[in-house]
Amino acid sequence: MKIDILTLFPEMFAGVLSASILGRASAAGLLTVQTHNIRDYSTDKHRKADDYPFGGGAGLVMMAQPIFDCMEAVTADAQAHRILLTPRGRPLRPDMAKRLAREAHLVLLCGHYEGVDERVMTLIDEEISIGDYVLTGGELPAMVLVDCLARFIPGVLGGETSMQEESFTEGLLEYPQYTRPANFRGMQVPEILLNGHHANIRAWRRRQAEEITRKVRPDLMGDSYE
Ligand code: 4FV
């Protein structure tokens, strides 16, 4: 999968995209992520990419011209699914990430300041939000989206986690995890996890996942769990 990220702050991405699972996925060629500095496409002699809002109001708005030229340059050769990260978007959910993980080419547009000129929406196929709060920019949401969808790309999650493993408690919160030592400062790992009876362990984990979800996030307990 190819992901192009349009941003005024490409330097924010290096660390996140090169470390751990995402770094290995890129090295293995399962994921190619490229950032593009929108300011490089400004035709303004001072490389201006934002300006004051018409109608007044606080803050700055990202100008249409640099975004249009950057988007057209990045999508010149290949059909791409173009996403704007914005609080106005549909909330990111696992099923959306699974769908996006099947796309060949994604373009993520990161707004900043008060947002982008509304005419940019003529370039956008889908708006996605990572949550009902306002951030200083769309860069962190873009990183969250890449991390979330990458896990659904076959081969990205090596031995660490398997999607099968994950699927049996899909939609539920995680069950408790333990690792060595079995006794840490007097705190003992539940016996059931130490006797290797896989069916009992699976049943225990599912019960735990349901119990925690019912307590912490009953809204996630769809009708299938009534
Ligand atoms: C956001 C979110 C978000 C709004 C104005 C960037 C900021 C600034 N994006 N989910 N929540 N974006 O807060 O996706 O341009």
Side-chain angles (χ1 to χ4, degrees), residues 85-87 111-115 128-131 133-138 141:
L85 288 303
T86 167
H112 218 85
Y113 314 120
E114 297 315 304
I128 294 179
S129 170
I130 65 163
Y133 37 80
V134 178
L135 303 167
T136 61

Side-chain angles (χ1 to χ4, degrees), residues 139-151:
E139 284 73 19
L140 292 173
M143 296 176 204
V144 167
L145 179 57
V146 169
D147 190 293
C148 184
L149 70 84
R151 303 176 77 255

